Amino acid sequence: MLQLRNAGLDYGNTHISFPDLTLEPGQRLGLFGPSGLGKSSLAKVLAGIEPLSQGELTLPGFAQGSANPVQWVIQQSEFAFNPRLSIRQSLRESWRNDDFMGVLDRYGVDPLWLNRRPLQVSGGQLQRVNLVRAIIPSTEYLICDEITAHLDMITQQQIWLALGEEAGQRRLGLLVISHDEELLNLVCDDVLNWTG
Ligand SMILES: Nc1ncnc2c1ncn2[C@@H]1O[C@H](COP(=O)(O)OP(=O)(O)OP(=O)(O)O)[C@@H](O)[C@H]1O
């Protein structure tokens, strides 16, 4: 399980104190909280992108040097891709020797898009590709940071359905960060209301 205890982060003069949090394999935990409180910072800490200034992040079984089992997916999927590479090349980079063709259908990714560059598909299409990029075999926990905030209802439903199936089959732990309380109640088992 992924655990955060007594944790805090300093950005110069800005200090963020995080809530204690435990994410179990197979759990779908929602995180709700006001803008600017530090939800994306929390996501970055969990994904190992920002080091903690205090407290503890524990992830038993994760050996230094092995693939990070925590993947962070953000709303602005275009930032997750090198704009010069084709989508196929980007997926190849993250999947390495494993085959991703079998998971395209689950996320509604058309194989024809593989030859295009990231900015040659729509925002909703790229977000689905982005999930395929993140759902590599070594992923055990997925931090979904407002991943469907800008998408139409049908694409949102496709994405949450696909992720729900994936999480159930692989016992993926999902941390779903959103301003949409209704969505969190729909897709999560528990919701942490972080008030600061
Ligand atoms: N790299 C950084 N350097 C300095 N301050 C930062 C940095 N990243 C974030 N902050 C500040 O940390 C605070 C928390 O930001 P964060 O993006 O984590 O909030 P959030 O809860 O995700 O907000 P929102 O819901 O609006 O996306 C904000 O005051 C932000 O300005």
Side-chain angles (χ1 to χ4, degrees), residues 2 4 9 11 16 18 31 38-52 57 68 70-74 76 143-145 175 177 194:
L2 187 59
L4 197 62
L9 177 63
Y11 292 122
I16 303 173
F18 298 118
L31 179 65
K39 301 180 298 300
S40 293
S41 300
L42 173 59
K44 286 184 248 181
V45 163
L46 296 177
I49 294 163
E50 288 284 0
L52 281 174
L57 169 67
N68 188 348
V70 186
Q71 290 284 322
W72 176 42
V73 180
I74 59 173
Q76 308 91 332
I143 316 297
C144 305
D145 192 351
L175 180 68
I177 299 175
W194 182 16

Side-chain angles (χ1 to χ4, degrees), residues 87-98 100:
I87 286 173
R88 185 191 311 279
Q89 286 170 309
S90 291
L91 291 180
R92 179 61 44 237
E93 266 190 2
S94 62
W95 279 73
R96 299 180 183 220
N97 294 323
D98 291 307
F100 54 78

Side-chain angles (χ1 to χ4, degrees), residues 108-169:
V109 171
D110 187 330
L112 290 174
W113 305 343
L114 296 178
N115 293 328
R116 300 194 203 165
R117 293 184 182 185
L119 299 180
Q120 294 175 328
V121 294
S122 76
Q125 291 169 345
L126 191 60
Q127 190 61 296
R128 286 182 261 156
V129 175
N130 195 16
L131 286 164
V132 173
R133 182 199 57 75
I135 293 287
I136 49 179
S138 54
T139 301
E140 295 173 28
Y141 300 94
L142 196 68
I143 316 297
C144 305
D145 192 351
E146 297 283 3
I147 61 169
T148 54
H150 60 311
L151 303 179
D152 64 83
M153 214 32 111
I154 291 176
T155 310
Q156 288 196 25
Q157 281 172 355
Q158 282 174 338
I159 285 179
W160 290 115
L161 196 67
L163 271 178
E165 279 177 10
E166 187 97 39
Q169 284 171 6

